[in-house]
Amino acid sequence: MILTVHVKANAKENKVLGWMDEGTVRISIKAPAVEGKANAELIHFIADKLDLPKSAVDIKRGHNAPIKH
């Protein structure tokens, strides 16, 4: 399954903000968007919400962009 995520880094809390459209979810992440910190926290957050191991969640595209797959 590929999930499209629009990430808002450096937010007050980690939470799902809602759906932008039918295929893109907005998520805020506390970590800053430097040195992969926001990406790592996003993976941890998604894995926790979907009750999956972190190894099952991966960023395929958008490592340096706010929109990730």
Side-chain angles (χ1 to χ4, degrees):
M1 170 191 202
I2 296 177
L3 179 66
T4 303
V5 179
H6 186 273
V7 179
K8 180 185 175 198
N10 221 12
K12 290 184 180 181
E13 62 182 334
N14 293 339
K15 72 177 188 176
V16 176
L17 299 172
W19 292 91
M20 289 183 67
D21 54 40
E22 290 182 12
T24 306
V25 65
R26 292 192 61 185
I27 297 177
S28 65
I29 296 295
K30 290 190 293 186
V34 293
E35 298 177 4
K37 291 180 183 179
N39 289 341
E41 194 158 337
L42 176 66
I43 288 171
H44 179 74
F45 179 75
I46 290 174
D48 185 54
K49 289 295 180 187
L50 297 178
D51 197 28
L52 296 169
K54 287 190 294 185
S55 61
V57 179
D58 188 26
I59 297 175
K60 295 294 183 186
R61 290 191 320 192
H63 294 281
N64 297 323
I67 298 178
K68 302 175 185 311
H69 298 276

